[in-house]
Amino acid sequence: MPEFLELLPPAKALETLLQHLPAYHPAAHVVDTTAALDLVTASEILSPEPLPAFPRSTVDGYAVKAADTYGASEALPAYLKLVGEIPMGSKPTLTLQNGQAALIHTGGMLPEGCDAVVMIENTQTVSPNEVEVFKPVAVGDNTLKMGEDVEPGQQVLPAGKKIGPADIGGLLALGILQVPVVLPPRVGILSSGDEVIPPDQKPAIGQVRDINSATLSALVRKFGGNPVLYGIIPDHFETLLAAAQRAAQECDMVIITAGSSASVRDLTAMAIQELGEPGVLVHGVNIKPGKPTILAVCNHKAIIGLPGNPVSALVIASLFVVPVIRSLLGLPASPPSPVLHARLTINVPSQAGREDWVPVRLLFTPEGLLADPIFFKSNLILTLAKADGMIRIVPEANGIAAGETVDVFQPFG
Amino acid sequence: MPEFLELLPPAKALETLLQHLPAYHPAAHVVDTTAALDLVTASEILSPEPLPAFPRSTVDGYAVKAADTYGASEALPAYLKLVGEIPMGSKPTLTLQNGQAALIHTGGMLPEGCDAVVMIENTQTVSPNEVEVFKPVAVGDNTLKMGEDVEPGQQVLPAGKKIGPADIGGLLALGILQVPVVLPPRVGILSSGDEVIPPDQKPAIGQVRDINSATLSALVRKFGGNPVLYGIIPDHFETLLAAAQRAAQECDMVIITAGSSASVRDLTAMAIQELGEPGVLVHGVNIKPGKPTILAVCNHKAIIGLPGNPVSALVIASLFVVPVIRSLLGLPASPPSPVLHARLTINVPSQAGREDWVPVRLLFTPEGLLADPIFFKSNLILTLAKADGMIRIVPEANGIAAGETVDVFQPFG
């Protein structure tokens, strides 16, 4: 199976892959809310109780009857009788009568008879028993009714929400101590190539250490997946096929990094094609680095063949593997990525019609942030390790000129 | 101790805090390289060996003597004798003589006598024993010398580098299986307030659940710190002071969320002032939310008093706690933040002279990304849970108009 003659643009290639994936019903389990950071809700979470659980003040000030403050001004303050202070940790015992006020703190429960709170800035105590109010309040001002924030049964978090610090707080505020989350999808990782050896061995002449297993594991873990390593597979069709079949059986998706020569890339495509219908969808993407990328769906699972060289493998994984992991988690596959803006230090040529990704170093200068492209002769992974981010040159362009402002992506941290 | 009359702008307040922190020598330990994702290097890492470890081809093609290809063209190809194929996983046994070529794969070791590689695209095999070359190569073309990427003793990673997938790959490529990393700084978290109860309890009237301990723990963990919880402390000076002293003793920094009323905020500042020299540096920041922020350095440790309300506490922690954690990790305190660009849906007024942070929801429309501000009556943490990010209104502005393009920050995920 040769590479397809027509190379797909990256966006079209990803769309093709995602379109062939079935709607996914992720496996869920329940974890403590405080341990749910960065996990994804498996179903919507509804509130078991109202919030606030009692009518409360949203400011420091005086609990009043609003009608007693009507017309109050700096020139003509309203004078109210100070009848006490609302305690913070318990239910107030006093009841406000006409013309009365009680000191109240933010979060304090409104006493009976109170329908508004005057901010402390708009008052002055005249004596221990009297307070002047300079500004009128309307009924409800600076207060929250019971259940005004959240009613019982109201949605607190939707399904498919990545849980952040604020979400954990929102759940705990409602006494929700456990939460159903998506089990991290299992991502099988196979590294192939006769010349590839484990990183703890000393390479003999002609051998290289397997680093794709580790870089792809880290990327998978960073984006919420559970990497499952199948080790280094020799360039032998039946062996590769057997390992890929086992991985496809045991995992939710599979990535295979090919050996580096063209003949071996074909081996990978042939093995993937045997894994099930519909098989290989994209073989070759119009991108640099990463042209010999293989995208397939076999028996409802994404199978992705990555180039063997570590820079290409990591760039392509960030563009094609990450969106699939996100889909498997129930998240949007490709949300917009936050970027930094920087000015390019030198011209970067590119071939029109092809999308190019170029690693850059960020330079902090008095004139602002600069993006300095890193060009390496080899496809050494240390190129990316030295980079602070990457810039994209769209297929429509044949390069970006020095001095232009570019978006700097940070696709793998 | 009342709040200072002059409220500092946030940037100036942070600068004041960081200036008073001593140069930090983080504690380090050694972890497996494959387990080092998102940890920070404690010292620079030098290469123990050259990379590549042998002279190799960077393309698929033919190993040649460059001089044999001089003048070759489509019209007048150079004809070379094909003398074999370089095996991938072992040292080549053949030696190239004048007029000879050998098939070589990307990453293959150059045979004796070879000084360049011709790309396969620029060749054609005429017979099993002969190959045509259409394009000349210069000495060194499409090859890497031994040590050309990395010489032994050369820096692989600097100290203070957050380890990403590519870094793990770079280390393993050189056989570096373990790496010294900074121990996560211990961040003591105290939640104070008579009205505050643990989240697993049912609030009585006037009580609220402690959520700051959990949201701040999550934020600390997200940015590489190790949260240490000291629980809920009542509004009682000696008790608060004793807890703060213990936390300051045991941790690298301390955060204390105050009860919600003004009187209790003073209690926090008084306790912090007792923890050591120089004491409180900033009391009150010109920001919304979060005005009653306290920044202190006591006995060389940052002590930060946060407002009790959960939204303010989380926003202020992202602005002042996170930079200190980063410093303690040996990272730059405040690197530029990647942002999304979106158009604002409605006018957002703000008070000139004050920095405002407003939560927004992102809306994906055919016209592009929109930022829709969320205004809540209360300071409910669910406001932030529903937000996709926050926008900042600089002190110089008195608001942002609908339709303007804004930077959307994602400070706590």
Side-chain angles (χ1 to χ4, degrees):
Chain A
M1 179 189 300
E3 291 181 21
F4 296 170
L5 287 176
E6 184 117 16
L7 296 176
L8 279 187
K12 182 73 191 161
L14 177 60
E15 193 189 321
T16 304
L17 176 65
L18 294 174
Q19 274 170 354
H20 284 80
L21 284 176
Y24 186 67
H25 304 289
H29 64 148
V30 169
V31 298
D32 285 348
T33 301
T34 51
L37 182 66
D38 289 340
L39 301 176
V40 178
T41 53
S43 54
E44 68 170 349
I45 317 290
L46 306 180
S47 178
E49 54 183 64
L51 199 77
F54 54 89
R56 57 189 296 191
S57 176
T58 60
V59 297
D60 293 331
Y62 290 94
V64 298
K65 286 179 183 293
D68 287 339
T69 68
Y70 291 168
S73 68
E74 293 270 354
L76 270 177
Y79 289 83
L80 299 179
K81 188 177 176 204
L82 192 48
V83 294
E85 175 176 351
I86 307 297
M88 276 310 289
S90 57
K91 183 170 176 167
T93 49
L94 63 84
T95 300
L96 279 192
Q97 307 297 337
N98 289 345
Q100 294 185 342
L103 185 62
I104 192 166
H105 306 286
T106 305
M109 180 173 177
L110 304 183
E112 285 290 320
C114 156
D115 60 15
V117 174
V118 184
M119 290 175 79
I120 201 141
E121 295 89 317
N122 301 325
T123 66
Q124 186 172 304
T125 44
V126 190
S127 75
N129 299 319
E130 200 171 35
V131 62
E132 287 179 345
V133 175
F134 303 123
K135 228 176 150 178
V137 282
V139 170
D141 276 2
N142 302 316
T143 68
L144 277 178
K145 288 202 252 308
M146 177 173 136
E148 187 166 344
D149 282 327
V150 183
E151 297 279 4
Q154 198 178 323
Q155 188 188 80
V156 184
L157 296 179
K161 171 84 162 74
K162 190 173 170 199
I163 296 171
D167 301 307
I168 291 174
L171 294 168
L172 291 183
L174 295 162
I176 302 170
L177 304 177
Q178 295 200 306
V179 62
V181 294
V182 176
L183 272 174
R186 293 167 63 87
V187 181
I189 299 173
L190 287 73
S191 209
S192 74
D194 285 340
E195 75 281 21
V196 182
I197 60 163
D200 59 353
Q201 292 180 19
K202 183 94 186 161
I205 289 297
Q207 297 183 321
V208 290
R209 294 189 175 99
D210 174 30
I211 60 175
N212 287 326
S213 291
T215 57
L216 295 172
S217 284
L219 189 77
V220 165
R221 201 174 295 121
K222 205 164 175 97
F223 285 89
N226 177 15
V228 183
L229 295 179
Y230 288 87
I232 300 163
I233 318 292
D235 289 328
H236 176 261
F237 180 75
E238 282 74 20
T239 312
L240 180 60
L241 178 59
Q245 278 171 332
R246 194 179 133 220
Q249 189 72 35
E250 296 172 350
C251 297
D252 300 302
M253 74 176 291
V254 177
I255 33 189
I256 306 173
T257 60
S260 36
S261 73
S263 59
V264 172
R265 288 204 297 268
D266 292 349
L267 208 66
T268 311
M270 281 162 60
I272 292 176
Q273 192 64 15
E274 294 294 311
L275 294 179
E277 293 297 319
V280 174
L281 304 166
V282 174
H283 190 179
V285 177
N286 205 351
I287 189 170
K288 181 188 174 188
K291 191 177 95 170
T293 295
I294 302 164
L295 306 179
V297 172
C298 303
N299 287 334
H300 312 300
K301 288 176 181 174
I303 315 287
I304 298 183
L306 298 177
N309 101 53
V311 171
S312 306
L314 197 51
V315 170
I316 292 298
S318 75
L319 294 174
F320 296 104
V321 173
V322 170
V324 176
I325 294 175
R326 291 183 56 93
S327 295
L328 292 175
L329 283 165
L331 296 170
S334 304
S337 301
V339 293
L340 287 163
H341 289 276
R343 273 180 314 112
L344 202 59
T345 53
I346 52 171
N347 294 333
V348 182
S350 95
Q351 184 181 305
R354 184 184 69 192
E355 183 169 301
D356 279 22
W357 287 81
V358 178
V360 295
R361 214 169 303 185
L362 289 173
L363 307 175
F364 302 86
T365 72
E367 290 75 42
L369 207 54
L370 301 182
D372 193 35
I374 308 177
F375 298 104
F376 260 64
K377 193 170 176 186
S378 79
N379 279 305
L380 187 65
I381 191 70
L382 285 167
T383 319
L384 289 189
K386 284 181 199 298
D388 299 305
M390 299 199 79
I391 62 172
R392 181 172 64 140
I393 307 176
V394 295
E396 295 73 30
N398 58 5
I400 305 180
E404 278 191 49
T405 296
V406 290
D407 287 348
V408 179
F409 297 83
Q410 297 180 308
F412 25 74
Chain B
M1 178 189 302
E3 291 181 21
F4 296 169
L5 287 175
E6 184 115 16
L7 296 176
L8 280 187
K12 181 76 191 154
L14 177 60
E15 193 189 323
T16 304
L17 176 66
L18 294 176
Q19 274 169 354
H20 284 80
L21 284 177
Y24 185 66
H25 303 289
H29 64 148
V30 168
V31 298
D32 285 349
T33 301
T34 52
L37 182 66
D38 288 341
L39 301 175
V40 177
T41 53
S43 53
E44 68 170 348
I45 317 290
L46 306 180
S47 179
E49 54 183 66
L51 200 76
F54 55 89
R56 58 190 295 192
S57 175
T58 61
V59 297
D60 293 331
Y62 289 93
V64 298
K65 287 180 183 290
D68 287 338
T69 68
Y70 292 166
S73 68
E74 294 270 354
L76 272 177
Y79 288 85
L80 299 178
K81 187 176 178 206
L82 191 49
V83 293
E85 175 176 351
I86 307 297
M88 276 309 289
S90 57
K91 184 169 175 169
T93 48
L94 62 85
T95 299
L96 279 193
Q97 307 297 339
N98 288 344
Q100 294 185 341
L103 184 62
I104 192 167
H105 306 288
T106 305
M109 180 173 177
L110 304 184
E112 285 290 323
C114 157
D115 60 16
V117 175
V118 184
M119 291 175 78
I120 200 144
E121 294 90 317
N122 301 324
T123 66
Q124 187 173 304
T125 43
V126 189
S127 75
N129 299 321
E130 199 171 34
V131 62
E132 287 181 344
V133 174
F134 303 123
K135 227 176 151 177
V137 282
V139 170
D141 275 4
N142 302 315
T143 68
L144 278 178
K145 287 201 254 305
M146 177 172 138
E148 185 165 345
D149 283 326
V150 183
E151 296 279 3
Q154 197 177 324
Q155 189 188 79
V156 183
L157 297 178
K161 172 83 163 71
K162 190 173 171 201
I163 296 171
D167 301 306
I168 291 175
L171 293 169
L172 291 182
L174 295 162
I176 303 170
L177 304 177
Q178 295 200 307
V179 61
V181 294
V182 177
L183 271 174
R186 293 167 64 87
V187 181
I189 300 174
L190 287 72
S191 209
S192 75
D194 285 339
E195 76 281 20
V196 181
I197 60 163
D200 60 352
Q201 291 179 20
K202 183 94 186 161
I205 289 297
Q207 297 182 320
V208 290
R209 294 189 176 97
D210 174 30
I211 59 175
N212 287 326
S213 292
T215 57
L216 295 172
S217 286
L219 188 77
V220 165
R221 201 173 296 121
K222 208 166 172 91
F223 285 89
N226 177 15
V228 183
L229 295 179
Y230 288 87
I232 300 164
I233 319 293
D235 291 327
H236 177 261
F237 180 75
E238 282 75 20
T239 312
L240 180 59
L241 178 58
Q245 278 170 332
R246 197 180 130 219
Q249 189 70 37
E250 295 172 350
C251 297
D252 300 301
M253 72 177 292
V254 177
I255 35 189
I256 306 175
T257 60
S260 36
S261 74
S263 58
V264 172
R265 288 202 298 266
D266 292 349
L267 207 65
T268 310
M270 281 162 60
I272 291 176
Q273 193 62 18
E274 294 294 311
L275 294 180
E277 294 297 321
V280 174
L281 304 167
V282 174
H283 190 179
V285 177
N286 207 350
I287 188 170
K288 181 188 174 187
K291 191 177 92 170
T293 295
I294 302 164
L295 306 179
V297 172
C298 304
N299 287 336
H300 311 300
K301 288 176 181 175
I303 316 287
I304 298 183
L306 298 177
N309 103 52
V311 171
S312 307
L314 197 51
V315 170
I316 292 298
S318 76
L319 294 174
F320 296 104
V321 174
V322 169
V324 176
I325 294 175
R326 291 183 55 94
S327 295
L328 292 175
L329 283 166
L331 297 170
S334 305
S337 302
V339 293
L340 287 163
H341 290 276
R343 274 181 314 112
L344 202 58
T345 53
I346 53 172
N347 294 332
V348 182
S350 94
Q351 185 182 303
R354 185 184 69 192
E355 182 168 302
D356 280 22
W357 287 81
V358 178
V360 296
R361 214 169 304 185
L362 290 173
L363 307 175
F364 303 85
T365 73
E367 290 75 42
L369 207 53
L370 300 182
D372 193 35
I374 307 178
F375 299 105
F376 259 63
K377 194 169 175 183
S378 79
N379 279 305
L380 188 65
I381 189 70
L382 286 168
T383 319
L384 289 190
K386 284 180 198 298
D388 298 305
M390 300 198 78
I391 60 171
R392 180 171 67 137
I393 307 176
V394 295
E396 295 72 31
N398 59 5
I400 305 179
E404 280 189 49
T405 296
V406 290
D407 287 348
V408 179
F409 296 83
Q410 298 180 309
F412 24 76

